[in-house]
Amino acid sequence: PRSATGRWSSTMTTRPTTPRTTANRPRPPAGSRPLRSAPPERASPPAVETPKRLRIDPWALLRYETVTHIRAPLIVALLAFALDACFTPHCLGAVRSLLSRTVFRSAEDDVVASRQGDALVFAVVNVALHALIWAGLGGGLYLCDRMQWLQEFKLPRKVPAGPHGGSPEDVTLLRETVAEAVKGQLLVQPIALYFLYLYLPFQPLDKPTESLWTAFRHLFLFRLSTEFCIYWSHRMMHEVPWLYRFHKQHHRYIASIGFAAEFTHGVDNLVLQLASTAYLLPNVRYFSFSLWLAASGWLFWETTELHAGYTFDRSWLYQWLGLTYSDRTEFHDFHHSANQGNYGSAFLWDYVFGTMDPYLAYLKRHHRLIQAASPSPPVDRRDDDEAGGVESNGYFFVRPRPSVRHGRSQ
């Protein structure tokens, strides 16, 4: 070994040190090929931890679904009590007064208070709420698409979202969507709601919600059973060929908008409506009018938001109050773009019945890997592929299973 001055240490035999330069380097014989110096040694690249495949953390998913299934019914139950206190009595009085001056103008006064009058009031208020959510939420987010507002919450899409792409086919599709919604909301739905109230044991409209525990218990069971029934009815619509002939109308929207929630064939709409009310209809005697309005409005709000293509996971509405369904929007958006998997409105049943694999492959392909342990807020990653480096939403229960490779990623 050499000392710090560049000479051999005293423990070795001393000899003069000659610096190795080109001048004193031995020359090769004439006519022979010149000697080539060995290439410099390259430092070994650091180990890069890359995802081999994705897996679902079942305990994290269970915690997430537990929090979701407790928080949302509690919020809706509190909303029902607020409606009982502030809205329902005034709304019923106004609608009954309007009907007494128009529909029942020539009849006796007690007709309005009869079962038929209550059925008509029930249908009118439900249709008004449905139309308000469809036009307010769906139309508001569609306006944001057109005006380029709230684009920091917009999901990255390679296909233009819905009709505002500019082609004549897209404009035609929007007109068909509006016509289908008007037909369903103003013709089919009022008649169905009217006869449902007549022939099912609904509570009187003036009766308030019994108790917070009763409301919470039925809303919890309603949410759990509805997600299960929607999962299987939706999956059946995709996997049974003759049923998919009706459902493919809804999938004309590859990148959907809020209005697309109502763009369904009549048979498809009937199957999904029966699935979504599978718990409500046999248990209507436990639902007050305010609780019914809160539950049905909550369900349709979720459906409209899932199709709009906006994920407000970084907003205070989601992080603090849990009032949006941003954690599921990208999940359903993948279903429309890939037309496979993700049949449920929640993650639970897709995980249990094994229809989440295409979505996990999609997450891996676009590097949307989540390593955080907290569901609020989800961790954002940036794509480094051809998608343009946009931020993406992720889910805390999707974990990468790493494999160590030197210098290269799988």
Side-chain angles (χ1 to χ4, degrees):
R2 293 174 180 263
S3 63
T5 59
R7 298 182 178 275
W8 295 97
S9 62
S10 58
T11 58
M12 304 285 293
T13 55
T14 58
R15 62 176 177 176
T17 57
T18 306
R20 298 182 62 85
T21 60
T22 307
N24 57 20
R25 184 176 299 170
R27 297 178 179 272
S32 64
R33 298 179 61 184
L35 296 177
R36 294 182 180 179
S37 58
E41 294 185 3
R42 296 181 180 178
S44 178
V48 178
E49 192 163 330
T50 58
K52 184 177 182 180
R53 65 188 181 93
L54 295 179
R55 64 183 178 88
I56 297 295
D57 185 345
W59 294 110
L61 176 61
L62 181 61
R63 289 194 302 270
Y64 168 82
E65 291 291 346
T66 302
V67 171
T68 302
H69 283 78
I70 292 176
R71 180 180 61 188
L74 183 59
I75 292 174
V76 176
L78 294 175
L79 177 62
F81 277 94
L83 291 176
D84 277 333
C86 305
F87 174 76
T88 303
H90 304 288
C91 176
L92 291 177
V95 174
R96 283 171 173 167
S97 176
L98 177 64
L99 293 178
S100 65
R101 294 195 302 268
T102 55
V103 178
F104 301 115
R105 182 170 47 188
S106 60
E108 299 180 1
D109 293 337
D110 59 350
V111 174
V112 179
S114 67
R115 187 74 176 174
Q116 291 79 11
D118 281 353
L120 188 57
V121 172
F122 179 80
V124 168
V125 176
N126 274 277
V127 169
L129 175 65
H130 195 103
L132 180 64
I133 295 175
W134 184 81
L137 181 61
L141 293 179
Y142 178 68
L143 181 63
C144 291
D145 281 343
R146 296 297 301 266
M147 304 300 295
Q148 296 296 305
W149 296 337
L150 302 178
Q151 292 305 296
E152 64 271 20
F153 300 107
K154 184 70 176 176
L155 284 175
R157 286 169 165 178
K158 295 182 180 180
V159 179
H164 66 275
S167 64
E169 293 79 11
D170 289 334
V171 176
T172 303
L173 182 58
L174 178 60
R175 291 173 180 169
E176 292 179 19
T177 303
V178 174
E180 193 74 30
V182 170
K183 179 178 68 175
Q185 294 181 21
L186 299 184
L187 296 178
V188 178
Q189 190 178 9
I191 297 174
L193 289 169
Y194 179 81
F195 286 103
L196 279 178
Y197 190 88
L198 282 181
Y199 295 105
L200 291 179
F202 279 88
Q203 294 184 7
L205 299 184
D206 296 306
K207 185 177 180 180
T209 307
E210 294 182 5
S211 65
L212 182 62
W213 167 245
T214 302
F216 171 80
R217 176 164 51 92
H218 288 293
L219 287 171
F220 176 83
L221 295 175
F222 162 64
R223 183 181 182 89
L224 197 63
S225 60
T226 298
E227 289 175 350
F228 179 81
C229 294
I230 285 179
Y231 172 85
W232 279 109
S233 61
H234 192 188
R235 183 172 178 177
M236 183 175 61
M237 281 289 178
H238 276 265
E239 296 185 353
V240 179
W242 69 272
L243 286 176
Y244 185 72
R245 292 187 305 168
F246 306 111
H247 187 62
K248 68 180 181 181
Q249 172 179 324
H250 183 64
H251 278 271
R252 289 172 63 185
Y253 280 94
I254 298 176
S256 65
I257 57 176
F259 290 148
E262 291 284 287
F263 189 59
T264 55
H265 190 275
V267 175
D268 185 14
N269 191 27
L270 176 63
V271 172
L272 292 178
Q273 288 295 334
L274 290 176
S276 61
T277 57
Y279 183 84
L280 278 178
L281 297 183
N283 296 279
V284 291
R285 61 185 181 275
Y286 302 112
F287 284 79
S288 66
F289 181 53
S290 297
L291 192 59
W292 171 278
L293 287 179
S296 57
W298 161 43
L299 187 64
F300 186 60
W301 180 287
E302 178 181 5
T303 304
T304 305
E305 186 179 344
L306 291 185
H307 288 85
Y310 283 85
T311 172
F312 299 100
D313 57 327
R314 295 181 299 278
S315 67
W316 61 272
L317 286 174
Y318 176 78
Q319 295 181 8
W320 296 352
L321 302 178
L323 293 181
T324 70
Y325 297 93
S326 302
D327 48 358
R328 306 179 182 198
T329 305
E330 187 177 8
F331 191 69
H332 191 73
D333 199 72
F334 171 78
H335 172 76
H336 269 267
S337 60
N339 202 11
Q340 59 179 335
N342 296 16
Y343 300 119
S345 60
F347 309 105
L348 177 62
W349 301 117
D350 281 282
Y351 169 70
V352 171
F353 296 112
T355 51
M356 214 178 193
D357 292 341
Y359 183 63
L360 295 180
Y362 161 79
L363 288 180
K364 177 187 175 182
R365 187 167 62 249
H366 291 275
H367 310 287
R368 299 174 182 187
L369 311 177
I370 301 307
Q371 298 175 351
S374 172
S376 178
V379 176
D380 294 322
R381 297 281 176 176
R382 284 189 175 272
D383 289 338
D384 55 1
D385 58 358
E386 68 276 10
V390 289
E391 290 187 358
S392 62
N393 184 25
Y395 310 108
F396 72 100
F397 52 80
V398 179
R399 302 287 180 83
R401 177 169 292 175
S403 65
V404 176
R405 296 281 301 272
H406 287 281
R408 298 179 62 185
S409 61
Q410 293 185 2

